[in-house]
């Protein structure tokens, strides 16, 4: 994830690119993303905060809570609308605190998240659900599985961030910067946001250049544009500080034991991932007692869940 910040701060610039020559199927997904950004839904949490969320897929289907990546928002869930409708799954995508329209919780920890999910499920009258974490959402999906197991059926992690013990000091540097030198992290994230919004196409092309071959067309196509829209929405209301807190959480002890995760866990990782080290997934596969791991030698950060999205949703929901 630090690599993502490096790419954005070093290589972006220019002017906004208008929406032209976009195929109809891409416009459908982008339209859903825009609608999620412009028409947020919220629920009131037990501590008085408001939590934003969006729904995609089949509104009458089996529920799946999708924990979005970093720096993302509920808009990210638009990527799973088509597969949700195909398989019969209701995809519920909440904004984490301070992202999108969710109220900030400046002192939050990773283990606070399951309580927010419980309140959301209660508000939506959902008794039990599957949970999926993508990229930066991985730790949140696992925390929910560990601490909310009475409401969680199965949990999945795709290209998800793992504990710092899974990688060396070089890979930990970005996360530790937020933890021990937050002003430096805030500056980098500010530059990320400033430059990413100047020229979307250059931004996505920059990511594609250093991505796995399987990811390149995804970054420059509809998937990349939805991810970009999700990133823009993440800081639109509450700025950069919640992202600094989020990065600090990744670089801190998670606050629960992976051995305590008792529900079935499914992992999907690509060895060619240029943003999240695949070693993080291999570590989770070893430490989670109920894990079933799927590791692909040629897939990267986006391709690992896009190429397997139907299998992922079916595995988690039993559809």
């Amino acid at each position: 994830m630090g690599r993502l910040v490096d790419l954005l701060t070093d290589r972006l610039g220019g002017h906004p690119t208008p929406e032209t020559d976009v195929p109809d199927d891409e416009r459908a997904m982008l339209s859903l993303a825009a609608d999620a950004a412009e028409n947020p839904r919220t629920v009131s949490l037990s501590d008085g905060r408001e939590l934003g969320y969006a729904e995609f897929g089949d509104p009458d289907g089996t529920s799946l809570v999708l924990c979005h990546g970093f720096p993302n928002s509920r808009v990210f869930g638009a990527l799973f609308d088509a597969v949700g409708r195909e398989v019969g799954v209701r995809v519920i995508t909440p904004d984490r605190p301070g992202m999108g329209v969710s109220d900030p919780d400046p002192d939050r920890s990773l283990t606070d998240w399951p309580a927010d999910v419980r309140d959301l499920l209660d508000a939506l009258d959902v008794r039990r659900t599957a949970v999926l974490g993508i990229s930066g959402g991985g730790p949140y999906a696992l925390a929910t599985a560990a601490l909310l197991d009475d409401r969680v059926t199965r949990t999945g992690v795709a290209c998800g961030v793992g504990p710092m013990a899974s990688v060396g000091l070089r890979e930990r540097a970005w996360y530790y910067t937020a933890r021990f030198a937050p002003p430096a992290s805030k500056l980098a994230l500010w530059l990320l946001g400033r430059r990413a919004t100047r020229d979307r196409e250059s931004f996505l092309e920059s990511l594609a250049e250093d991505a796995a071959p399987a990811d390149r067309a995804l970054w420059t196509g509809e998937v990349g544009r939805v991810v970009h829209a999700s990133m823009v929405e993440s800081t639109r209301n509450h700025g950069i500080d919640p992202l600094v807190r989020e990065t600090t959480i990744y670089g801190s002890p998670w606050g629960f034991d992976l051995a305590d995760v008792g529900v079935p866990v499914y992992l999907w990782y690509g060895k060619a991932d240029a943003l999240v080290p695949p070693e993080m997934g291999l570590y989770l596969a070893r430490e989670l007692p109920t894990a079933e791991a799927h590791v692909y030698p040629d897939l990267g950060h986006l391709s690992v869940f896009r190429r397997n999205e139907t299998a992922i949703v079916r595995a988690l929901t039993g559809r």
Side-chain angles (χ1 to χ4, degrees), residues 9-246:
T9 57
D10 289 345
R11 302 173 64 177
L12 300 186
H15 303 284
T17 301
E19 199 73 67
T20 58
D21 300 325
V22 180
D24 289 343
D25 58 343
E26 294 193 9
R27 285 188 183 278
M29 184 179 289
L30 292 169
S31 177
L32 286 169
D35 182 69
E38 295 166 7
N39 301 290
R41 305 179 186 183
T42 62
V43 298
S44 297
L45 302 177
S46 55
D47 65 0
R49 288 180 294 116
E50 293 293 308
L51 184 78
Y53 73 99
E55 293 197 35
F56 302 92
D58 182 350
D60 299 316
T62 303
S63 66
L64 170 67
V65 172
L66 175 63
C67 299
H68 61 71
F70 173 94
N72 291 139
S73 63
R74 66 192 180 282
V75 173
F76 188 87
L79 294 175
F80 285 81
D81 181 76
V83 67
R85 294 183 184 280
E86 173 192 344
V87 178
V89 171
R90 177 188 184 187
V91 182
I92 304 165
T93 310
D95 287 326
R96 288 197 285 279
M99 300 180 197
V101 295
S102 286
D103 287 339
D105 185 6
D107 298 322
R108 69 186 176 96
S109 66
L110 179 59
T111 53
D112 292 327
W113 178 244
D116 289 359
V117 175
R118 182 186 292 277
D119 286 349
L120 174 64
L121 296 178
D122 288 346
L124 299 181
D125 197 26
V126 174
R127 176 70 187 89
R128 286 171 64 78
T129 186
V131 180
L132 172 62
I134 303 289
S135 190
Y140 290 87
L142 292 173
T144 305
L147 303 177
L148 201 64
D149 58 353
D150 61 318
R151 306 294 290 271
V152 175
T153 55
R154 302 176 185 179
T155 299
V157 176
C159 57
V161 173
M164 293 298 100
S166 63
V167 292
L169 289 176
R170 180 178 179 182
E171 289 81 7
R172 302 180 197 183
W174 165 247
Y175 308 98
Y176 282 1
T177 298
R179 184 177 173 188
F180 298 112
S185 177
K186 184 173 182 177
L187 175 61
L189 287 165
W190 179 80
L191 289 171
L192 181 156
R194 179 174 178 268
R195 296 185 180 184
T197 55
R198 282 185 170 183
D199 188 333
R200 182 188 65 183
E201 301 310 314
S202 292
F203 156 49
L204 296 174
E205 288 168 6
S206 296
L207 293 176
E209 286 177 10
D210 289 315
D215 278 358
R216 290 170 187 165
L218 293 171
W219 278 119
T220 56
E222 63 171 328
V223 173
R225 294 186 179 105
V226 171
V227 172
H228 179 271
S230 180
M231 292 175 67
V232 171
E233 175 62 18
S234 70
T235 59
R236 185 165 61 91
N237 294 290
H238 303 295
I240 299 299
D241 286 339
L243 298 185
V244 178
R245 183 60 189 167
E246 177 96 335

